[in-house]
Amino acid sequence: MSRIDAVLTRLDDTAQAELATLYRDLHQHPEPAFEEKRTARIAADRLRESGFEVHTGVGGTGVVGVLRNGEGPAVALRADMDALPVLERTGLPYASTENGLMHACGHDMHVTCLSGAAHLLAAARDQWQGTLVALFQPAEEIAAGAQAMVDDGLFDLTGRLSVVLGQHVFPRPAGTVFIRPGEILGAADSIEIRLYGRGGHSSQPERTVDPVVLAAAIVMRLQTVVSREVSPFERAVLTVAQIHAGHKENVIADEASITLNIRTFSPEVRRRLLAAIERVVNAEATASGAPRPPSFRTLNAFPLTANDPAATVRLTEAFTTRFGPAGVADMAPMMGSEDFGVFGTAAGAPSVFWGLGSADPSRYARAEQAGRLGEDVPGNHSPFFAPLIFPTLPMGVEALVTAALTWLNRRSP
């Protein structure tokens, strides 16, 4: 019997049912960024029951579990905990009870899988040695939680890490993990821009500087930045997601604001996009006769997520041995963003991030054949996003156990 098999013998039907109950409970009680108090309490209690040294309130609401089991590598497994301001429309019997708040990105599944894997590894300490670290991270959705944990002395609690490992559910067929070396998720920057005009009566526009017209000109001009200033061989997205101005139909407002988001895979492209945004906005404000320059405020900034090549090859081999070639697929780079990479960068350790399929395989196949994946297989951040609990949950636990044991030493006799 392999070490992985020895650990997973405890993942029987009873254990899987208990974890499924935990998952449904977490799904029903989502919590926003830096307010994951209930989720953190549940994670911490389960770690204590498994024998971990537990630290709470790390970086706000983060939880760190440390299990030292002799000499050897220190392996960190990470799960994020926060939910999204989305009104759930899945119709599930365990749908969110928090109006306007939903686990629309699967972080409830991540917490459940890590909780299960940590318990199994703790119960089978005779199979490995080293240090196992369980990171339950807050505020991933606003790109703040990982850095907050690091700034709050994370590595004083864990010691030097050898590798950082994490997974994320995606709307791909359940029963499959997706992985690739190198760049896997894009960098993202969200910016709020305030535009200043001169308000007045809508019947006398000549006495005003209309910030709505200014905003409209900026939005249209920004559409040319990617198409005309970024090479077709590079990847970039620029989206204006919000425009706000005014309170009444016969009043020209004094101010307007626009919020935009960019996604890039290259530091140079990111720099060029940010510079182009500032150039376009300032130029349009000047052309409109704005009484003062626009102001810019960064809302969040996600770093590029890149898997360490050597560590990814090592883990891909382990996954292929465990799940078979059909259970492991290449994960094409995605424009979605994560702050997971902050941990490995700050620790000076390799990190690997992989995808976990969570969609019904037969439904996915039908939708793919019909060219309706977007319509029939809801993705992350959709109000209809609902991971298939089985086999997603047990496979997520199995993937984390496999990943941890790929680095943790075999127990010395």
Side-chain angles (χ1 to χ4, degrees):
M1 179 184 291
S2 72
R3 290 195 300 155
I4 298 173
D5 288 330
V7 172
L8 292 172
T9 54
R10 293 178 173 84
L11 189 62
D12 55 18
D13 290 345
T14 301
Q16 291 186 38
E18 189 270 337
L19 287 173
T21 298
L22 171 62
Y23 167 73
R24 295 185 185 99
D25 176 74
L26 293 174
H27 189 85
Q28 282 188 302
H29 300 93
E31 297 170 298
F34 287 128
E35 296 182 31
E36 310 94 337
K37 296 177 182 178
R38 182 180 185 274
T39 307
R41 184 174 67 253
I42 291 171
D45 288 346
R46 292 178 64 88
L47 287 174
R48 288 191 190 95
E49 291 169 3
S50 299
F52 281 75
E53 168 194 317
V54 178
H55 306 273
T56 60
V58 182
T61 46
V63 177
V64 179
V66 182
L67 185 61
R68 294 181 174 85
N69 190 33
E71 296 296 321
V75 176
L77 304 177
R78 174 268 202 173
D80 38 14
M81 300 187 292
D82 54 327
L84 285 160
V86 173
L87 179 64
E88 182 161 357
R89 298 175 64 190
T90 62
L92 291 167
Y94 53 89
S96 170
T97 59
E98 305 295 327
N99 190 37
L101 198 62
M102 176 192 175
H103 270 299
C105 202
H107 295 186
D108 46 352
M109 182 65 74
H110 304 164
V111 171
T112 306
C113 289
L114 178 52
S115 181
H119 176 74
L120 292 174
L121 287 161
R125 276 170 272 192
D126 59 330
Q127 296 297 321
W128 59 273
Q129 66 180 47
T131 298
L132 178 64
V133 176
L135 303 177
F136 290 90
Q137 178 207 316
E140 182 277 331
E141 294 292 355
I142 61 171
Q147 192 62 54
M149 293 184 77
V150 170
D151 292 343
D152 202 19
L154 171 63
F155 303 126
D156 295 333
L157 305 175
T158 65
R160 183 180 178 85
L161 297 179
S162 304
V163 67
V164 185
L165 305 166
Q167 65 184 3
H168 200 297
V169 290
F170 291 116
R172 299 282 295 275
T176 310
V177 294
F178 304 86
I179 191 169
R180 77 182 304 270
E183 298 167 351
I184 189 168
L185 296 173
D189 296 88
S190 294
I191 305 165
E192 181 188 67
I193 303 169
R194 298 200 68 81
L195 306 170
Y196 303 100
R198 185 168 58 248
H201 201 288
S202 63
S203 67
Q204 298 175 312
E206 75 281 1
R207 299 172 65 89
T208 72
V209 174
D210 191 338
V212 175
V213 174
L214 168 57
I218 288 171
V219 171
M220 295 308 297
R221 182 71 179 182
L222 287 176
Q223 303 312 303
T224 68
V225 171
V226 171
S227 65
R228 290 297 176 266
E229 299 189 37
V230 176
S231 165
F233 298 102
E234 297 277 8
R235 287 185 290 261
V237 174
L238 192 161
T239 300
V240 178
Q242 294 177 302
I243 303 178
H244 298 286
H247 300 285
K248 200 172 189 305
E249 76 284 350
N250 64 347
V251 177
I252 293 174
D254 279 320
E255 296 183 9
S257 68
I258 62 176
T259 303
L260 56 84
N261 177 264
I262 66 169
R263 307 274 172 156
T264 57
F265 270 93
S266 158
E268 173 57 23
V269 171
R270 175 179 179 269
R271 185 195 65 75
R272 277 192 276 131
L273 255 63
L274 291 173
I277 290 166
E278 188 167 348
R279 185 191 75 237
V280 166
V281 170
N282 283 324
E284 291 291 353
T286 298
S288 295
R292 55 183 287 202
S295 62
F296 299 79
R297 181 168 72 97
T298 298
L299 301 177
N300 57 60
F302 289 84
L304 181 70
T305 302
N307 283 340
D308 179 83
T312 305
V313 169
R314 183 176 177 179
L315 185 54
T316 302
E317 292 174 352
F319 280 161
T320 303
T321 299
R322 184 68 197 173
F323 301 122
V328 182
D330 181 67
M331 184 174 177
M334 300 170 62
M335 277 296 182
S337 301
E338 258 279 354
D339 64 353
F340 166 80
V342 168
F343 291 117
T345 299
S351 62
V352 186
F353 189 76
W354 66 91
L356 179 67
S358 65
D360 183 303
S362 59
R363 181 179 182 181
Y364 186 94
R366 290 194 301 271
E368 186 175 39
Q369 186 174 16
R372 292 179 54 86
L373 281 176
E375 298 90 340
D376 296 345
V377 183
N380 305 82
H381 293 211
S382 163
F384 299 100
F385 183 65
L388 193 67
I389 297 179
F390 297 101
T392 307
L393 175 52
M395 188 160 187
V397 173
E398 191 171 347
L400 288 172
V401 168
T402 300
L405 291 178
T406 300
W407 272 269
L408 292 169
N409 292 340
R410 184 178 296 274
R411 188 71 175 171
S412 299

